[in-house]
Amino acid sequence: MSVPEPRYASPFGDWDGSTAAARELQQVLAAQVRLEDDFGPLKLIAGVDVGFEEGGAITRAAVVLLDANTLEPVAQSLARIPTSMPYVPGLLSFRELPAVLQALEALPQVPDMIFSDGQGIAHPRRLGIAAHLGVVTGLPTIGVAKKILTGRHEELALNRGAQVDLLDKSGDVIGTVLRSKDKVRPLIVSPGNRVSLASAPRLVMDYVTRYRLPEPTRLADRLASRRDRQATDQPQLF
DNA sequence: GCGACAG
DNA sequence: ATCTTGTCGC
Protein backbone atom coordinates (compact mmCIF):
# COMPACT_ATOMS: atom_id res chain seq x y z
CA MET A 1 0.00 0.00 0.00
CA SER A 2 1.26 3.46 -0.86
CA VAL A 3 1.05 6.40 1.48
CA PRO A 4 -1.46 9.04 0.34
CA GLU A 5 0.54 11.94 -1.02
CA PRO A 6 -0.36 15.38 0.33
CA ARG A 7 -1.69 17.43 -2.54
CA TYR A 8 -1.19 20.79 -0.93
CA ALA A 9 1.48 22.57 1.11
CA SER A 10 1.22 23.35 4.81
CA PRO A 11 -0.59 26.71 5.17
CA PHE A 12 1.45 28.34 7.94
CA GLY A 13 5.06 27.21 7.56
CA ASP A 14 6.79 27.63 10.90
CA TRP A 15 4.27 30.07 12.38
CA ASP A 16 4.72 30.36 16.15
CA GLY A 17 1.05 30.89 16.83
CA SER A 18 1.20 34.58 17.66
CA THR A 19 -1.08 37.04 15.92
CA ALA A 20 1.89 39.32 15.26
CA ALA A 21 3.70 36.55 13.39
CA ALA A 22 0.50 35.70 11.55
CA ARG A 23 0.33 39.24 10.17
CA GLU A 24 3.97 39.10 9.11
CA LEU A 25 3.40 35.79 7.38
CA GLN A 26 0.45 37.29 5.53
CA GLN A 27 2.70 39.96 4.06
CA VAL A 28 5.17 37.34 2.87
CA LEU A 29 2.46 35.18 1.31
CA ALA A 30 0.68 38.16 -0.23
CA ALA A 31 3.81 38.81 -2.27
CA GLN A 32 3.32 35.38 -3.86
CA VAL A 33 -0.20 36.11 -5.10
CA ARG A 34 -0.45 36.35 -8.89
CA LEU A 35 -3.20 38.53 -10.33
CA GLU A 36 -2.87 37.49 -13.98
CA ASP A 37 -5.38 35.08 -15.49
CA ASP A 38 -3.62 31.73 -15.47
CA PHE A 39 -6.04 28.86 -15.90
CA GLY A 40 -7.18 26.61 -18.71
CA PRO A 41 -10.70 25.53 -19.64
CA LEU A 42 -12.72 25.07 -16.46
CA LYS A 43 -14.16 21.59 -16.23
CA LEU A 44 -14.24 21.07 -12.49
CA ILE A 45 -14.80 23.87 -10.04
CA ALA A 46 -15.05 23.78 -6.27
CA GLY A 47 -16.81 25.76 -3.58
CA VAL A 48 -15.58 25.88 0.01
CA ASP A 49 -17.12 27.18 3.20
CA VAL A 50 -16.75 26.67 6.93
CA GLY A 51 -19.21 26.33 9.76
CA PHE A 52 -18.98 25.55 13.47
CA GLU A 53 -20.45 23.02 15.87
CA GLU A 54 -20.49 22.63 19.64
CA GLY A 55 -20.64 26.32 20.26
CA GLY A 56 -17.55 26.88 18.14
CA ALA A 57 -15.38 24.10 19.56
CA ILE A 58 -15.50 22.16 16.30
CA THR A 59 -14.63 23.66 12.93
CA ARG A 60 -16.49 22.10 10.04
CA ALA A 61 -15.19 22.66 6.49
CA ALA A 62 -17.19 21.69 3.42
CA VAL A 63 -16.01 21.37 -0.15
CA VAL A 64 -18.25 20.67 -3.11
CA LEU A 65 -16.89 19.72 -6.54
CA LEU A 66 -19.10 20.60 -9.47
CA ASP A 67 -19.13 20.11 -13.20
CA ALA A 68 -18.42 23.60 -14.51
CA ASN A 69 -20.75 23.14 -17.45
CA THR A 70 -23.82 21.62 -15.87
CA LEU A 71 -23.21 23.01 -12.35
CA GLU A 72 -24.18 19.60 -11.01
CA PRO A 73 -22.30 18.41 -7.92
CA VAL A 74 -19.74 15.72 -8.71
CA ALA A 75 -18.38 15.06 -5.23
CA GLN A 76 -18.29 16.58 -1.78
CA SER A 77 -16.34 16.22 1.42
CA LEU A 78 -16.56 17.39 4.98
CA ALA A 79 -13.79 17.80 7.57
CA ARG A 80 -14.37 18.30 11.29
CA ILE A 81 -11.47 19.31 13.51
CA PRO A 82 -11.09 21.01 16.90
CA THR A 83 -11.09 24.79 16.60
CA SER A 84 -7.61 26.12 17.33
CA MET A 85 -8.02 29.88 17.15
CA PRO A 86 -10.69 32.49 17.91
CA TYR A 87 -12.11 34.70 15.19
CA VAL A 88 -9.86 37.71 14.73
CA PRO A 89 -10.82 40.13 11.93
CA GLY A 90 -8.07 39.93 9.32
CA LEU A 91 -6.82 36.54 10.48
CA LEU A 92 -9.71 34.37 9.36
CA SER A 93 -7.56 31.99 7.30
CA PHE A 94 -5.54 30.97 10.35
CA ARG A 95 -8.73 29.79 11.98
CA GLU A 96 -10.35 28.10 8.99
CA LEU A 97 -7.70 26.89 6.53
CA PRO A 98 -6.58 23.72 8.34
CA ALA A 99 -10.08 22.25 8.08
CA VAL A 100 -10.51 23.48 4.51
CA LEU A 101 -7.28 21.81 3.38
CA GLN A 102 -8.24 18.56 5.07
CA ALA A 103 -11.54 18.55 3.21
CA LEU A 104 -9.77 19.35 -0.08
CA GLU A 105 -7.31 16.48 0.42
CA ALA A 106 -10.21 14.06 0.73
CA LEU A 107 -11.60 14.96 -2.68
CA PRO A 108 -11.13 12.42 -5.47
CA GLN A 109 -9.92 15.08 -7.89
CA VAL A 110 -8.20 18.48 -7.97
CA PRO A 111 -10.47 21.34 -9.08
CA ASP A 112 -9.49 23.76 -11.85
CA MET A 113 -10.63 26.70 -9.73
CA ILE A 114 -11.83 27.23 -6.17
CA PHE A 115 -14.49 29.70 -5.03
CA SER A 116 -14.12 30.49 -1.37
CA ASP A 117 -16.40 32.22 1.09
CA GLY A 118 -14.58 35.36 2.32
CA GLN A 119 -12.13 37.82 0.80
CA GLY A 120 -9.37 37.27 -1.74
CA ILE A 121 -7.03 40.26 -1.89
CA ALA A 122 -9.68 42.66 -0.55
CA HIS A 123 -7.94 42.48 2.80
CA PRO A 124 -5.80 44.85 4.93
CA ARG A 125 -2.63 42.96 3.95
CA ARG A 126 -3.98 41.62 0.65
CA LEU A 127 -4.29 38.08 1.94
CA GLY A 128 -7.85 37.12 2.71
CA ILE A 129 -8.66 33.43 3.07
CA ALA A 130 -9.19 32.91 -0.68
CA ALA A 131 -5.78 34.39 -1.48
CA HIS A 132 -4.11 32.38 1.28
CA LEU A 133 -5.79 29.23 -0.02
CA GLY A 134 -4.64 30.05 -3.55
CA VAL A 135 -1.03 30.47 -2.53
CA VAL A 136 -0.78 27.29 -0.48
CA THR A 137 -2.57 25.11 -3.04
CA GLY A 138 -1.13 26.83 -6.08
CA LEU A 139 -4.61 26.74 -7.60
CA PRO A 140 -6.67 29.57 -9.12
CA THR A 141 -9.01 30.95 -6.44
CA ILE A 142 -11.64 33.67 -6.08
CA GLY A 143 -13.01 35.17 -2.88
CA VAL A 144 -16.79 35.61 -2.66
CA ALA A 145 -17.70 37.49 0.52
CA LYS A 146 -21.09 38.65 1.77
CA LYS A 147 -19.66 41.74 3.48
CA ILE A 148 -16.80 44.18 3.12
CA LEU A 149 -13.81 43.72 5.40
CA THR A 150 -11.95 46.76 4.15
CA GLY A 151 -12.33 49.27 1.32
CA ARG A 152 -14.89 51.75 -0.01
CA HIS A 153 -16.99 52.10 -3.14
CA GLU A 154 -19.47 54.25 -5.05
CA GLU A 155 -23.20 53.63 -5.11
CA LEU A 156 -24.27 50.52 -6.96
CA ALA A 157 -27.21 50.15 -9.37
CA LEU A 158 -29.98 47.78 -8.24
CA ASN A 159 -30.01 45.48 -11.24
CA ARG A 160 -28.45 42.07 -11.53
CA GLY A 161 -24.95 42.33 -12.95
CA ALA A 162 -24.32 45.87 -11.70
CA GLN A 163 -20.79 46.30 -10.37
CA VAL A 164 -18.40 48.93 -9.03
CA ASP A 165 -14.77 48.81 -7.99
CA LEU A 166 -13.84 48.31 -4.36
CA LEU A 167 -10.98 50.68 -3.51
CA ASP A 168 -8.51 50.80 -0.67
CA LYS A 169 -7.44 54.02 1.05
CA SER A 170 -4.83 54.73 -1.63
CA GLY A 171 -7.41 54.39 -4.35
CA ASP A 172 -6.10 51.06 -5.60
CA VAL A 173 -8.70 48.59 -6.85
CA ILE A 174 -8.82 45.58 -4.54
CA GLY A 175 -12.06 43.95 -5.65
CA THR A 176 -15.55 44.33 -7.09
CA VAL A 177 -18.88 45.00 -5.43
CA LEU A 178 -21.24 42.85 -7.48
CA ARG A 179 -25.03 42.65 -7.55
CA SER A 180 -25.70 39.01 -8.37
CA LYS A 181 -29.52 39.42 -8.43
CA ASP A 182 -31.90 42.38 -8.70
CA LYS A 183 -32.11 44.27 -5.42
CA VAL A 184 -30.17 41.85 -3.22
CA ARG A 185 -27.21 42.90 -1.07
CA PRO A 186 -24.13 42.86 -3.30
CA LEU A 187 -21.36 40.30 -3.11
CA ILE A 188 -17.77 41.37 -2.50
CA VAL A 189 -15.64 39.61 -5.10
CA SER A 190 -11.86 39.67 -5.25
CA PRO A 191 -9.17 37.51 -6.85
CA GLY A 192 -7.45 34.99 -4.66
CA ASN A 193 -4.69 33.76 -6.96
CA ARG A 194 -4.05 33.27 -10.70
CA VAL A 195 -7.18 35.30 -11.57
CA SER A 196 -7.35 38.98 -12.60
CA LEU A 197 -9.44 41.70 -10.98
CA ALA A 198 -11.50 42.01 -14.16
CA SER A 199 -12.15 38.29 -14.60
CA ALA A 200 -13.18 37.50 -11.03
CA PRO A 201 -16.68 39.05 -11.16
CA ARG A 202 -17.32 37.57 -14.63
CA LEU A 203 -16.42 34.12 -13.41
CA VAL A 204 -18.69 34.52 -10.41
CA MET A 205 -21.61 35.57 -12.63
CA ASP A 206 -20.94 32.54 -14.85
CA TYR A 207 -22.03 30.38 -11.95
CA VAL A 208 -24.90 32.38 -10.49
CA THR A 209 -28.30 30.84 -11.20
CA ARG A 210 -31.40 31.90 -9.26
CA TYR A 211 -29.74 32.62 -5.92
CA ARG A 212 -27.59 35.40 -4.51
CA LEU A 213 -24.58 33.15 -4.13
CA PRO A 214 -22.90 31.40 -7.08
CA GLU A 215 -23.49 27.63 -7.07
CA PRO A 216 -20.06 26.56 -5.80
CA THR A 217 -20.25 28.72 -2.68
CA ARG A 218 -23.97 28.21 -2.23
CA LEU A 219 -23.71 24.44 -2.14
CA ALA A 220 -20.65 24.49 0.12
CA ASP A 221 -22.47 26.91 2.39
CA ARG A 222 -25.40 24.55 2.65
CA LEU A 223 -23.15 21.62 3.50
CA ALA A 224 -21.05 23.53 6.02
CA SER A 225 -24.03 25.06 7.77
CA ARG A 226 -25.50 23.14 10.66
CA ARG A 227 -28.92 23.00 9.03
CA ASP A 228 -27.68 20.17 6.83
CA ARG A 229 -28.01 17.17 9.13
CA GLN A 230 -27.55 14.67 6.29
CA ALA A 231 -23.90 15.64 6.07
CA THR A 232 -21.68 12.55 6.11
CA ASP A 233 -18.10 12.42 7.32
CA GLN A 234 -17.03 10.27 4.37
CA PRO A 235 -16.37 11.88 0.98
CA GLN A 236 -19.34 11.45 -1.32
CA LEU A 237 -19.24 10.73 -5.05
CA PHE A 238 -22.16 11.50 -7.35
C1' DG B 1 -7.97 58.14 21.20
C1' DC B 2 -12.13 56.41 18.23
C1' DG B 3 -14.46 53.59 14.96
C1' DA B 4 -14.43 49.43 11.83
C1' DC B 5 -14.10 44.77 11.70
C1' DA B 6 -14.68 38.46 6.21
C1' DG B 7 -16.62 34.22 9.12
C1' DA C 1 -20.16 31.87 12.46
C1' DT C 2 -24.26 30.68 15.87
C1' DC C 3 -28.68 31.04 18.91
C1' DT C 4 -34.02 30.81 16.26
C1' DT C 5 -40.42 31.13 13.89
C1' DG C 6 -42.93 33.41 11.59
C1' DT C 7 -43.50 37.00 8.47
C1' DC C 8 -43.19 40.85 4.92
C1' DG C 9 -42.10 41.84 0.11
C1' DC C 10 -40.82 40.83 -4.65
Side-chain angles (χ1 to χ4, degrees):
Chain A
M1 291 265 266
S2 58
V3 178
E5 300 162 29
R7 287 195 174 94
Y8 313 112
S10 158
F12 311 140
D14 52 35
W15 178 45
D16 67 8
S18 72
T19 58
R23 292 185 179 93
E24 290 174 14
L25 178 55
Q26 287 183 324
Q27 301 191 33
V28 172
L29 296 178
Q32 295 172 41
V33 166
R34 288 185 296 129
L35 294 179
E36 299 79 38
D37 286 317
D38 177 25
F39 52 87
L42 302 181
K43 306 188 72 172
L44 274 181
I45 56 179
V48 306
D49 191 25
V50 174
F52 295 87
E53 302 175 0
E54 310 298 321
I58 301 296
T59 299
R60 161 170 158 158
V63 182
V64 177
L65 256 191
L66 20 193
D67 180 302
N69 292 115
T70 65
L71 293 188
E72 289 300 313
V74 168
Q76 66 180 39
S77 92
L78 210 51
R80 289 182 170 93
I81 65 177
T83 302
S84 56
M85 226 190 100
Y87 167 65
V88 179
L91 299 182
L92 184 68
S93 60
F94 289 81
R95 172 173 162 89
E96 301 189 343
L97 270 194
V100 168
L101 290 170
Q102 185 173 310
L104 274 173
E105 293 277 2
L107 285 178
Q109 303 169 73
V110 176
D112 298 313
M113 181 174 286
I114 302 174
F115 293 77
S116 171
D117 197 44
Q119 316 294 341
I121 63 167
H123 175 279
R125 289 166 296 282
R126 303 291 179 272
L127 196 85
I129 186 166
H132 195 158
L133 178 63
V135 169
V136 301
T137 60
L139 299 174
T141 59
I142 293 178
V144 182
K146 302 179 214 55
K147 297 175 181 174
I148 291 175
L149 170 61
T150 186
R152 302 185 324 102
H153 64 89
E154 301 290 275
E155 301 284 282
L156 180 64
L158 294 173
N159 60 294
R160 172 186 172 122
Q163 62 175 74
V164 293
D165 289 340
L166 179 67
L167 312 170
D168 69 6
K169 277 184 177 175
S170 310
D172 291 338
V173 181
I174 57 175
T176 303
V177 183
L178 176 67
R179 191 93 64 187
S180 53
K181 285 188 61 180
D182 286 354
K183 292 169 138 183
V184 301
R185 284 176 297 122
L187 299 177
I188 313 305
V189 176
S190 59
N193 190 36
R194 296 175 58 183
V195 175
S196 68
L197 277 158
S199 296
R202 284 193 232 108
L203 287 158
V204 168
M205 287 308 294
D206 281 347
Y207 305 119
V208 169
T209 59
R210 58 179 303 196
Y211 306 94
R212 180 165 86 116
L213 298 180
E215 289 303 282
T217 303
R218 189 181 73 82
L219 295 177
D221 198 289
R222 199 174 61 174
L223 186 59
S225 175
R226 286 213 50 189
R227 56 184 191 277
D228 189 333
R229 292 200 63 188
Q230 279 63 258
T232 309
D233 272 349
Q234 303 315 312
Q236 300 292 304
L237 298 174
F238 300 127

